[in-house]
Each structure stands twice: as structure tokens, then as C-alpha cells.
Amino acid sequence: MESYEPERLSPVQLAAMRRSLTSGRGALTRRSLLRASGMGALALGGIATLGACGIPPAGRAEGAAAADDHSEKEKEVTFSNWTEYMDVSDDEKTRPTLAAFTKRTGIRVKYTEDINDNVEFFGKIKPQLAAGQNTGRDLICVTDWLAARIIRLGWAQKLDPSNLPHAFANVSAQFRTPDWDPGRAYSYPWTGIPTVIAYNAKATGGRKVDSVTQLLDDPKLKGRVSFLSEMRDTIGMTLLDQGKDPGKFTDADFDGAIGRLQKAVDKKQIRRFTGNDYTADLSKGDIAACVGWAGDIIQLQADNPDIKFAIPAAGYITSSDNLLVPAQARHKANAEKLIDYYYEPPVAAQLAAYINYVCPVDGVRDELAKIDESMASNTLILPDREMAAKSRSFRSLSTEEETAYEEKFAKLIGA
């Protein structure tokens, strides 16, 4: 494998990581849906690990050399995932979809909930990956920015399409071609994480709030608006509102979004930039409207019928968690069969009914309706075609861009 000199993270990048950990997505549980977008979800103990990792030039994605695959003789697969990210039986003794997979295929799944943070987990597996050794895992689930990094480093195995007929056919269009893995050659999404506009209808006097322009300019909302302290979410939503594509923007576009937000800060339209702590203010009505995360909104709605959400006509930002087969995994074909299994609509529906995240599998609606009609009609779990068409991803950033953009954003939010 090619060798690279370590790239140290700048003070600005480290500050952004700490901000995400203490008040942003990194501070939340799995049930809160929100975690690492961009450089989020970084354990302070893991920052040094990432900082010492050599990052290759953007665009390098040859993938790991094919390892010896023992799938045929060893009917097993080891799967590392986040907590509360898999269905569990009522008595909490079994995982029904995994049990059904084993019964059908004879492949035993060693399922481990050992991912609590992207960088912390990367720190566990990086030494083996860098040394060309087996990590002891055949399948891992990491957030898009880390998936991109692992692929660029050549530490993910290219998937065999012949083992993935359901995945290839059923992956939703909005997740099919991320810039870091076009055509899903190395990864498949496990879930999607949308950023939307949320509002308290009681606090707005019954008025709908459905655009970033409204958040920034409506005088009736002055001082009762919040945006997120995660750069990719706030800037991404603002870029969309300005008619720019977050997947293709330029430095000038970024500066334009910063300037637009700065005007709203100067005139005190924006009350503050927050992590997940916006939820209490929104529920009470102290914040009338905000940019927020879909998982929070689903939870708030269960207790407060005044909490609403809107998908801007300009579009919204979605990040994702993704399945990869690490380099030197012993059971690649078995891992691919497991990935493909979760792209069968009946199985995907059973999983979605339990975890309540955005399901990346087409054709699952009727199956989910058999389990829970309300879930099948919830577009925060199953985006309809109109909503899915509005989904956009924030493009991958170089180290230089990350440093420059985070510095400007930190100045904007007063971090």
C-alpha cells in the first residue's frame, strides 16, 4: 500500500470537533438520530489518532487488494455497528432479522455494538488496516465522511455486484451516487440522516415556516430563530436556499452563504447557533423555528403536537451511515450476502420499524405499512419521491478547505 506523510489537524478543525462532541451530533445518543456529519462525533481521545493518520490526495480510491475469502468454508460473518441500530425481539433475547438470515443461509452473525463514535472506532481499526492486517471484522457501519476516508486510503474492499442483486436494484436514488463512492462500488447505505426546518406552530401563530429565507428575513421570527453549530448542515441548507448545489459549490459560494448568515446575526434575527440543545427551546416555544435534525423532530412530535417540520422547496441536506467490508476481512462474500439481505423490502421494513431512521431501500412502503401504517406515511422515515428528489449531500472537502471553512464558520457563530 502506498505510504503517506501524516497530516495534522489544524486548531480550527480540532475546535470544530470539540464543539460537535460537546453540543452537536457527537453529544447525542443513537435514538436521537444525530451524530457525526463531517468532522462530528469525535471523542477527544480519538482526535490525536485521526490527526496522525496520513490522508491521501482526494480522489484516490483504488480500494484494498482482494483478500483470501474463507466464506465458503467458514459460514460466519462479524458485523460491527452502532448501538440501538438493529431490531430486537420483545423479550430482548434475539435479533429477529439476523436470526432469520442465519436460518436461511446457515451463516452465523457475530453482531457487536462496538461503535460509539466514528473517530474512536477508527482508532481501534486503523493500526490493523495500516499494517495490512485483518481487523477481525467483516462488515462495519460508519458515517459518510469516514467511509470516504477509508475508501480513499484503500482500506475498503471493492464489492462484488453479483452478490448484491437486491442492493444494486433497490438502493434509493438519493443515496446511489455519493461523490466519495460513485455507483456504490465500495459501500451501501444503512440509514439516512436528514436536516430539515422545524417550527412550533403555536409559537408562530399557526404560520408555516418552510424556507431558510423565511428564517433569515421574516420580522415576525426575529430573535426566535436558531441554526445548527454543525457547519455542513447550516451552510449546506443556506447554499441550497441561495440556489447553489452543496455538492459542487465554490469558495465564493461558501463565502456568500457566510455573508447571508452574518447579516441575520448582525440584525439579531438569529438567536443562536446550537447543537441538539435547540430541542427544549423549540418545544417550549422560545425558539419559534429552526434548522434541525429529523430524528429530533420525530421524538418531539410524540410529546408535542405543535412541533412541525417542513422540507424547503430549495432542498435539504442528508448525510448517511454506510456499510463497508474492511481490507483483509476473512468473509467478504458472507458480508455481501448480509448487505444484500437488508435490501430485501420485507427485511428493510422490519429494520426501519424498529430503528425509525430514513430507510435507503426502495419498495419498502407496502411492507412497512403491514407493520405500522403511521411509519409508512412518515416522510422522515420513508421520503416520498418529491422529498427524496430534494435531498442533497455536502461534498467532500480537502484538508485545506476544511480548515478555511471551519475558521470562517467559527467566526460566524462566535465559537
Side-chain angles (χ1 to χ4, degrees), residues 44-125:
L44 296 182
I47 290 176
T49 299
L50 181 61
C53 173
I55 305 301
R60 176 179 179 266
E62 295 104 350
D68 291 337
D69 194 347
H70 301 264
S71 293
E72 190 64 32
K73 293 182 178 180
E74 300 174 2
K75 296 296 184 180
E76 60 185 85
V77 62
T78 301
F79 182 8
S80 285
N81 206 349
W82 299 79
T83 58
E84 299 188 51
Y85 230 15
M86 180 65 72
D87 55 304
V88 178
S89 61
D90 291 340
D91 62 8
E92 299 186 353
K93 293 182 178 180
T94 63
R95 300 184 183 279
T97 57
L98 289 177
F101 174 78
T102 297
K103 183 177 180 180
R104 181 201 294 185
T105 64
I107 299 171
R108 182 175 61 87
V109 181
K110 181 181 178 182
Y111 184 77
T112 308
E113 295 179 317
D114 61 345
I115 305 179
N116 296 302
D117 170 282
N118 278 292
V119 169
E120 179 185 54
F121 179 69
F122 189 50
K124 292 179 184 178
I125 64 175

Side-chain angles (χ1 to χ4, degrees), residues 176-294:
R176 190 172 287 273
T177 56
D179 68 348
W180 47 269
D181 187 17
R184 291 291 180 179
Y186 296 90
S187 69
Y188 271 93
W190 183 250
T191 54
I193 307 171
T195 301
V196 299
I197 289 179
Y199 61 99
N200 185 319
K202 184 176 181 180
T204 65
R207 293 184 305 116
K208 183 177 183 179
V209 180
D210 60 4
S211 72
V212 170
T213 291
Q214 195 173 354
L215 291 175
L216 296 177
D217 294 337
D218 187 342
K220 293 183 179 179
L221 297 177
K222 184 175 182 178
R224 297 189 298 153
V225 168
S226 70
F227 280 72
L228 293 168
S229 57
E230 295 279 359
M231 183 266 287
R232 286 164 174 79
D233 295 297
T234 286
I235 296 298
M237 292 290 281
T238 305
L239 285 168
L240 284 167
D241 190 71
Q242 294 179 304
K244 305 297 182 180
D245 184 349
K248 299 178 181 178
F249 67 90
T250 64
D251 288 349
D253 295 333
F254 184 91
D255 289 344
I258 288 286
R260 179 84 171 87
L261 290 161
Q262 186 65 59
K263 288 180 181 179
V265 170
D266 293 343
K267 67 180 183 182
K268 302 188 184 306
Q269 178 78 8
I270 297 176
R271 179 168 179 158
R272 62 192 183 108
F273 294 87
T274 76
N276 63 308
D277 50 330
Y278 71 88
T279 55
D281 287 343
L282 180 64
S283 188
K284 289 186 297 184
D286 293 340
I287 291 292
C290 64
V291 170
W293 291 306

